[in-house]
Amino acid sequence: EAGVTQFPSHSVIEKGQTVTLRCDPISGHDNLYWYRRVMGKEIKFLLHFVKESKQDESGMPNNRFLAERTGGTYSTLKVQPAELEDSGVYFCASSQSVSREYRTDTQYFGPGTRLTVL
Amino acid sequence: AQSVTQLDSQVPVFEEAPVELRCNYSSSVSVYLFWYVQYPNQGLQLLLKYLSGSTLVKGINGFEAEFNKSQTSFHLRKPSVHISDTAEYFCAVSQVPNAGNYQLIWGAGTKLIIKP
């Protein structure tokens, strides 16, 4: 079974440009998450999709970030315009379903996209 | 709100020696607890998790962790490390009950450095 994949693995752009990150979850996983790790800091939650709907977008830093998951399959995260502080590693994770017993899920992560804004 | 503290940014240890990576959390509600590992140039992989039941949790690659509610800790241990354990280890929590909020709250990570 293929794991979570992310594209590109690295992206270097200039301040003010637009970048789109893509995440392909594990097939059949309804839940998709985006996280970000800024250099030297902890990983922070950005948002959570259930199928094509945004379940929780409380972690999105500002309106320069736009996430979509059309058709409930892959997701894109667009940063427009990019700022220096957007640099970091963007992780995507997916999970099959939420356990009825424990009301939580096991999230499987992709390798991340390293974004550098110059 | 929850927070997670990993007290050590780096832990150097000799090969075949035991190791403990510390994790403390703060939360006004019950939490689930997780340890993830990131090997060089790879994604985050789940090592183990505590949801309920026995406070001693065993994970992959010989790791285990113990949940201590009174100490609000979830320290990760391995009795004998190998060079292949070189990686960054992350402690994370999620809220219980979570009413649709499944996000993970993360510690800053601990780099385990194995010395030959």
Side-chain angles (χ1 to χ4, degrees), chain B residues 13-15 83 114-116:
Chain B
V13 62
F14 285 105
E15 197 170 11
I83 195 77
I114 310 298
K115 300 185 288 186

Side-chain angles (χ1 to χ4, degrees), chain B residues 11-76:
Chain B
V11 173
V13 62
F14 285 105
E15 197 170 11
E16 298 184 6
V19 69
E20 179 180 83
L21 304 183
R22 295 180 291 171
C23 172
N24 287 84
Y25 69 92
S26 172
S27 178
S28 57
V29 299
S30 296
V31 294
Y32 297 128
L33 298 134
F34 305 82
W35 275 99
Y36 280 83
V37 59
Q38 185 179 24
Y39 297 105
N41 302 314
Q42 295 187 30
L44 294 156
Q45 181 181 358
L46 181 67
L47 265 181
L48 49 80
K49 61 185 176 184
Y50 173 80
L51 303 181
S52 71
S54 172
T55 57
L56 184 63
V57 181
K58 293 190 183 299
I60 61 171
N61 301 337
F63 283 93
E64 63 180 33
E66 186 154 22
F67 170 52
N68 187 321
K69 189 173 182 179
S70 62
Q71 300 288 325
T72 60
S73 68
F74 191 54
H75 300 332
L76 182 70

Side-chain angles (χ1 to χ4, degrees), chain A residues 35 37 43 102-103 106-107, chain B residues 32 36 49 88 98 104 108:
Chain A
Y35 292 86
R37 188 185 192 196
I43 300 168
Y102 292 112
R103 303 284 294 159
T106 294
Q107 298 178 27
Chain B
Y32 297 128
Y36 280 83
K49 61 185 176 184
E88 191 162 17
N98 44 34
L104 293 169

Side-chain angles (χ1 to χ4, degrees), chain A:
Chain A
E1 177 182 276
V4 177
T5 58
Q6 293 186 244
F7 182 83
S9 57
H10 293 84
S11 179
V12 181
I13 62 172
E14 294 194 350
K15 176 182 172 180
Q17 289 186 321
T18 297
V19 63
T20 300
L21 314 181
R22 173 170 168 145
C23 168
D24 285 78
I26 294 171
S27 178
H29 280 195
D30 288 340
N31 296 279
L32 188 149
Y33 304 80
W34 283 99
Y35 292 86
R36 174 174 76 170
R37 188 185 192 196
V38 171
M39 182 74 71
K41 298 199 172 182
E42 66 273 16
I43 300 168
K44 294 275 196 184
F45 167 82
L46 295 178
L47 85 159
H48 168 206
F49 284 100
V50 178
K51 297 185 180 178
E52 66 273 11
S53 300
K54 292 175 185 173
Q55 170 82 10
D56 180 358
E57 52 184 331
S58 62
M60 295 288 265
N62 51 61
N63 59 11
R64 295 185 294 103
F65 289 75
L66 175 63
E68 295 181 325
R69 193 183 182 196
T70 306
T73 55
Y74 71 91
S75 174
T76 58
L77 180 65
K78 181 190 287 188
V79 185
Q80 179 182 28
E83 298 289 344
L84 299 178
E85 63 264 26
D86 300 332
S87 296
V89 180
Y90 290 75
F91 292 103
C92 175
S94 71
S95 67
Q96 184 171 21
S97 61
V98 172
S99 160
R100 286 185 180 178
E101 180 179 5
Y102 292 112
R103 303 284 294 159
T104 190
D105 60 350
T106 294
Q107 298 178 27
Y108 298 90
F109 284 77
T113 293
R114 182 173 296 277
L115 174 64
T116 302
V117 183
L118 302 176

